[in-house]
Amino acid sequence: MRLRSVAVAVAGVLLLAGCAAPGAVTTRDAPPWERPTDLSARAEAAGLRNVWGERLAEHVHTHLTILDGDEPVTVPANVGHSAKARFAAEIHTHDTSGIVHVESPDERTFTLGQFFDEWGVSLGPEHVGGLRGELTVWVDGHRRIGNPRSIALTDRRQVVLIVTTIGEVPRLPTPFDWPPQYR
């Protein structure tokens, strides 16, 4: 009987732990999300490849802002890129500015979902990585409904992903001020 009481108590604790407030995450799923170390495997998982040194038919830049409530989440440098290893996937970052580069020898549509797959961070209509709650998406200042994975990466596009607690009103941040070399 005592064993049964302990089992019921443990089950109750686990149940309460699972009922944490919206947006609660496990430590491993919470930002910061580091860049992947196995660039080739992550690129392949996203349907991308190393195009280092190839002639480019497409070269565009999209800015990505991720907010956990009001807290910015850093998009790491060198997702899909390493000068030392002479590796550049068709989608990659160079720095922590949030600028996502698309550099490809062929013109085709690349998506935000591919970038997140390459980064190794899950993205869906209701979450970014382990951030759960209410996901609000803006593309070029306009609210977007649906799965953010399908957002096309186009030149000077601005994508904002905000995860808030249910019922909290998200605030669109000021537009990204593109550096002169991107204007």
Side-chain angles (χ1 to χ4, degrees):
M1 186 64 147
R2 181 170 184 181
L3 182 59
R4 183 174 178 200
S5 296
V6 170
V8 169
V10 168
V13 168
L14 291 174
L15 181 62
L16 287 174
C19 293
V25 297
T26 62
T27 303
R28 70 179 179 81
D29 288 337
W33 300 299
E34 302 300 323
R35 76 176 188 88
T37 54
D38 189 348
L39 301 180
S40 183
R42 292 306 325 155
E44 186 176 315
L48 306 170
R49 64 186 182 83
N50 183 7
V51 295
W52 184 276
E54 292 187 33
R55 177 174 285 204
L56 303 177
E58 183 170 44
H59 190 177
V60 300
H61 305 94
T62 296
H63 186 266
L64 174 61
T65 299
I66 303 171
L67 296 169
D68 178 6
D70 290 330
E71 293 297 315
V73 175
T74 301
V75 176
N78 296 315
V79 171
H81 185 270
S82 170
K84 182 179 178 182
R86 299 177 54 87
F87 188 95
E90 288 126 318
I91 304 172
H92 59 268
T93 63
H94 291 284
D95 54 34
T96 60
S97 67
I99 296 174
V100 177
H101 300 254
V102 174
E103 299 174 14
S104 175
D106 53 277
E107 290 185 25
R108 60 185 169 110
T109 301
F110 294 92
T111 67
L112 189 61
Q114 286 178 287
F115 175 69
F116 273 83
D117 290 347
E118 178 180 32
W119 187 6
V121 176
S122 64
L123 176 65
E126 299 173 352
H127 75 280
V128 178
L131 300 177
R132 291 188 170 21
E134 194 164 320
L135 175 60
T136 304
V137 179
W138 277 283
V139 177
D140 295 331
H142 302 282
R143 277 294 286 273
R144 182 162 193 275
I145 306 299
N147 195 335
R149 294 184 55 78
S150 65
I151 296 171
L153 303 177
T154 61
D155 204 29
R156 296 192 52 201
R157 171 162 274 176
Q158 295 189 38
V159 177
V160 178
L161 306 174
I162 302 178
V163 180
T164 58
T165 57
I166 303 293
E168 182 181 348
V169 178
R171 293 186 308 255
L172 178 64
T174 56
F176 178 67
D177 185 19
W178 288 94
Q181 66 268 31
Y182 297 99
R183 294 185 189 153

Short mmCIF file of all heavy atoms in Angstrom, two decimals, residues 8-9 17 20 23 32 51 70 83 90 94-95 104 111 115-116 118 122 134 145 155 159 164 173 177-178:
data_model
loop_
_atom_site.label_atom_id
_atom_site.label_comp_id
_atom_site.label_asym_id
_atom_site.label_seq_id
_atom_site.Cartn_x
_atom_site.Cartn_y
_atom_site.Cartn_z
N VAL A 8 1.52 7.24 -6.52
CA VAL A 8 0.50 8.26 -6.77
C VAL A 8 1.08 9.65 -6.53
O VAL A 8 0.85 10.58 -7.31
CB VAL A 8 -0.75 8.01 -5.88
CG1 VAL A 8 -1.69 9.20 -5.92
CG2 VAL A 8 -1.46 6.75 -6.33
N ALA A 9 1.87 9.81 -5.48
CA ALA A 9 2.48 11.11 -5.19
C ALA A 9 3.44 11.52 -6.30
O ALA A 9 3.45 12.67 -6.74
CB ALA A 9 3.22 11.07 -3.85
N ALA A 17 4.17 19.24 -12.79
CA ALA A 17 5.33 19.77 -13.52
C ALA A 17 4.99 19.96 -14.98
O ALA A 17 5.44 20.90 -15.62
CB ALA A 17 6.53 18.83 -13.37
N ALA A 20 3.05 23.45 -16.28
CA ALA A 20 3.72 24.74 -16.09
C ALA A 20 3.08 25.78 -16.99
O ALA A 20 2.40 25.47 -17.96
CB ALA A 20 5.21 24.60 -16.41
N GLY A 23 4.80 28.64 -22.28
CA GLY A 23 6.12 29.21 -22.55
C GLY A 23 7.21 28.57 -21.72
O GLY A 23 8.38 28.80 -21.97
N PRO A 32 19.96 30.18 -25.22
CA PRO A 32 20.45 30.35 -26.59
C PRO A 32 20.63 29.01 -27.29
O PRO A 32 20.97 28.02 -26.67
CB PRO A 32 21.80 31.03 -26.39
CG PRO A 32 22.28 30.55 -25.06
CD PRO A 32 21.03 30.37 -24.22
N VAL A 51 28.22 25.07 -51.19
CA VAL A 51 28.40 25.73 -52.49
C VAL A 51 29.61 26.66 -52.47
O VAL A 51 29.73 27.55 -53.32
CB VAL A 51 27.12 26.50 -52.90
CG1 VAL A 51 25.97 25.54 -53.12
CG2 VAL A 51 26.74 27.58 -51.88
N ASP A 70 9.56 39.79 -24.55
CA ASP A 70 10.29 40.99 -24.96
C ASP A 70 11.79 40.75 -25.09
O ASP A 70 12.54 41.65 -25.46
CB ASP A 70 10.06 42.13 -23.94
CG ASP A 70 8.64 42.66 -23.98
OD1 ASP A 70 8.02 42.61 -25.06
OD2 ASP A 70 8.14 43.11 -22.93
N ALA A 83 34.58 29.61 -42.86
CA ALA A 83 35.66 29.97 -43.79
C ALA A 83 36.83 29.00 -43.64
O ALA A 83 37.44 28.58 -44.63
CB ALA A 83 36.11 31.41 -43.55
N GLU A 90 23.83 26.82 -48.90
CA GLU A 90 23.07 27.83 -49.64
C GLU A 90 22.39 28.83 -48.72
O GLU A 90 22.20 29.99 -49.08
CB GLU A 90 22.01 27.16 -50.53
CG GLU A 90 22.62 26.44 -51.71
CD GLU A 90 22.18 25.00 -51.79
OE1 GLU A 90 22.12 24.33 -50.74
OE2 GLU A 90 21.91 24.53 -52.90
N HIS A 94 26.61 34.84 -41.17
CA HIS A 94 28.01 35.20 -40.98
C HIS A 94 28.25 35.74 -39.57
O HIS A 94 29.33 35.58 -39.02
CB HIS A 94 28.45 36.28 -41.98
CG HIS A 94 28.51 35.78 -43.40
ND1 HIS A 94 29.52 35.00 -43.87
CD2 HIS A 94 27.65 35.97 -44.44
CE1 HIS A 94 29.31 34.72 -45.15
NE2 HIS A 94 28.18 35.30 -45.51
N ASP A 95 27.24 36.41 -39.02
CA ASP A 95 27.40 37.07 -37.72
C ASP A 95 26.11 36.93 -36.93
O ASP A 95 25.21 36.20 -37.33
CB ASP A 95 27.80 38.54 -37.92
CG ASP A 95 26.82 39.29 -38.84
OD1 ASP A 95 25.61 38.97 -38.81
OD2 ASP A 95 27.25 40.17 -39.57
N SER A 104 23.21 30.91 -53.77
CA SER A 104 23.00 29.64 -54.46
C SER A 104 23.41 29.73 -55.93
O SER A 104 23.20 30.75 -56.57
CB SER A 104 21.52 29.27 -54.37
OG SER A 104 21.25 28.12 -55.12
N THR A 111 13.43 28.39 -47.83
CA THR A 111 12.44 28.75 -46.82
C THR A 111 13.04 28.88 -45.42
O THR A 111 14.12 28.36 -45.13
CB THR A 111 11.32 27.70 -46.75
OG1 THR A 111 11.88 26.46 -46.27
CG2 THR A 111 10.65 27.52 -48.11
N PHE A 115 16.14 26.91 -43.01
CA PHE A 115 17.14 27.52 -42.15
C PHE A 115 17.07 26.92 -40.74
O PHE A 115 18.10 26.57 -40.15
CB PHE A 115 16.99 29.04 -42.08
CG PHE A 115 17.93 29.68 -41.10
CD1 PHE A 115 19.30 29.71 -41.36
CD2 PHE A 115 17.47 30.20 -39.91
CE1 PHE A 115 20.18 30.26 -40.44
CE2 PHE A 115 18.34 30.75 -38.98
CZ PHE A 115 19.70 30.78 -39.25
N PHE A 116 15.86 26.78 -40.19
CA PHE A 116 15.73 26.22 -38.86
C PHE A 116 16.17 24.75 -38.81
O PHE A 116 16.77 24.32 -37.84
CB PHE A 116 14.30 26.39 -38.33
CG PHE A 116 14.10 27.72 -37.65
CD1 PHE A 116 13.83 28.86 -38.38
CD2 PHE A 116 14.21 27.84 -36.27
CE1 PHE A 116 13.65 30.09 -37.76
CE2 PHE A 116 14.05 29.06 -35.64
CZ PHE A 116 13.77 30.19 -36.39
N GLU A 118 18.51 23.46 -40.66
CA GLU A 118 19.96 23.52 -40.70
C GLU A 118 20.52 23.93 -39.33
O GLU A 118 21.54 23.40 -38.89
CB GLU A 118 20.39 24.53 -41.77
CG GLU A 118 21.88 24.71 -41.87
CD GLU A 118 22.25 25.71 -42.94
OE1 GLU A 118 21.48 26.66 -43.19
OE2 GLU A 118 23.34 25.54 -43.52
N SER A 122 13.77 23.44 -33.76
CA SER A 122 12.46 23.14 -34.34
C SER A 122 11.63 24.42 -34.50
O SER A 122 11.78 25.37 -33.74
CB SER A 122 11.71 22.11 -33.49
OG SER A 122 11.44 22.63 -32.21
N GLU A 134 2.14 31.41 -27.35
CA GLU A 134 1.46 31.92 -28.53
C GLU A 134 2.51 32.50 -29.48
O GLU A 134 3.23 33.42 -29.11
CB GLU A 134 0.45 32.99 -28.12
CG GLU A 134 -0.52 33.33 -29.20
CD GLU A 134 -1.73 34.08 -28.66
OE1 GLU A 134 -2.22 33.75 -27.57
OE2 GLU A 134 -2.15 35.00 -29.36
N ILE A 145 -0.48 34.40 -40.77
CA ILE A 145 -1.11 33.25 -40.13
C ILE A 145 -0.62 32.00 -40.86
O ILE A 145 -0.41 32.02 -42.06
CB ILE A 145 -2.66 33.34 -40.24
CG1 ILE A 145 -3.16 34.68 -39.68
CG2 ILE A 145 -3.32 32.17 -39.55
CD1 ILE A 145 -2.85 34.92 -38.22
N ASP A 155 14.95 38.85 -50.81
CA ASP A 155 15.87 39.95 -50.53
C ASP A 155 15.23 41.05 -49.69
O ASP A 155 14.17 41.56 -50.02
CB ASP A 155 16.43 40.53 -51.83
CG ASP A 155 17.76 41.22 -51.58
OD1 ASP A 155 18.48 40.81 -50.65
OD2 ASP A 155 18.08 42.18 -52.31
N VAL A 159 11.51 39.09 -41.12
CA VAL A 159 10.65 38.10 -40.47
C VAL A 159 10.83 38.26 -38.96
O VAL A 159 11.95 38.27 -38.46
CB VAL A 159 11.04 36.66 -40.89
CG1 VAL A 159 10.20 35.64 -40.15
CG2 VAL A 159 10.91 36.50 -42.40
N THR A 164 4.89 34.50 -26.94
CA THR A 164 4.42 35.12 -25.71
C THR A 164 3.56 34.12 -24.94
O THR A 164 3.18 33.08 -25.47
CB THR A 164 3.57 36.38 -26.01
OG1 THR A 164 2.48 35.99 -26.85
CG2 THR A 164 4.39 37.45 -26.69
N PRO A 173 8.44 44.83 -33.07
CA PRO A 173 9.58 45.72 -32.84
C PRO A 173 9.79 46.65 -34.04
O PRO A 173 9.23 46.44 -35.11
CB PRO A 173 10.76 44.74 -32.70
CG PRO A 173 10.34 43.49 -33.37
CD PRO A 173 8.83 43.45 -33.29
N ASP A 177 17.18 48.00 -39.28
CA ASP A 177 17.87 49.04 -40.05
C ASP A 177 19.00 48.36 -40.82
O ASP A 177 20.06 48.07 -40.27
CB ASP A 177 18.40 50.11 -39.11
CG ASP A 177 19.01 51.28 -39.85
OD1 ASP A 177 18.74 51.46 -41.04
OD2 ASP A 177 19.77 52.05 -39.21
N TRP A 178 18.74 48.09 -42.08
CA TRP A 178 19.73 47.39 -42.91
C TRP A 178 21.02 48.19 -43.02
O TRP A 178 20.98 49.39 -43.30
CB TRP A 178 19.17 47.14 -44.31
CG TRP A 178 18.12 46.09 -44.35
CD1 TRP A 178 16.76 46.28 -44.28
CD2 TRP A 178 18.32 44.69 -44.44
NE1 TRP A 178 16.11 45.08 -44.32
CE2 TRP A 178 17.04 44.08 -44.43
CE3 TRP A 178 19.44 43.88 -44.54
CZ2 TRP A 178 16.85 42.70 -44.52
CZ3 TRP A 178 19.26 42.50 -44.62
CH2 TRP A 178 17.99 41.92 -44.61
#
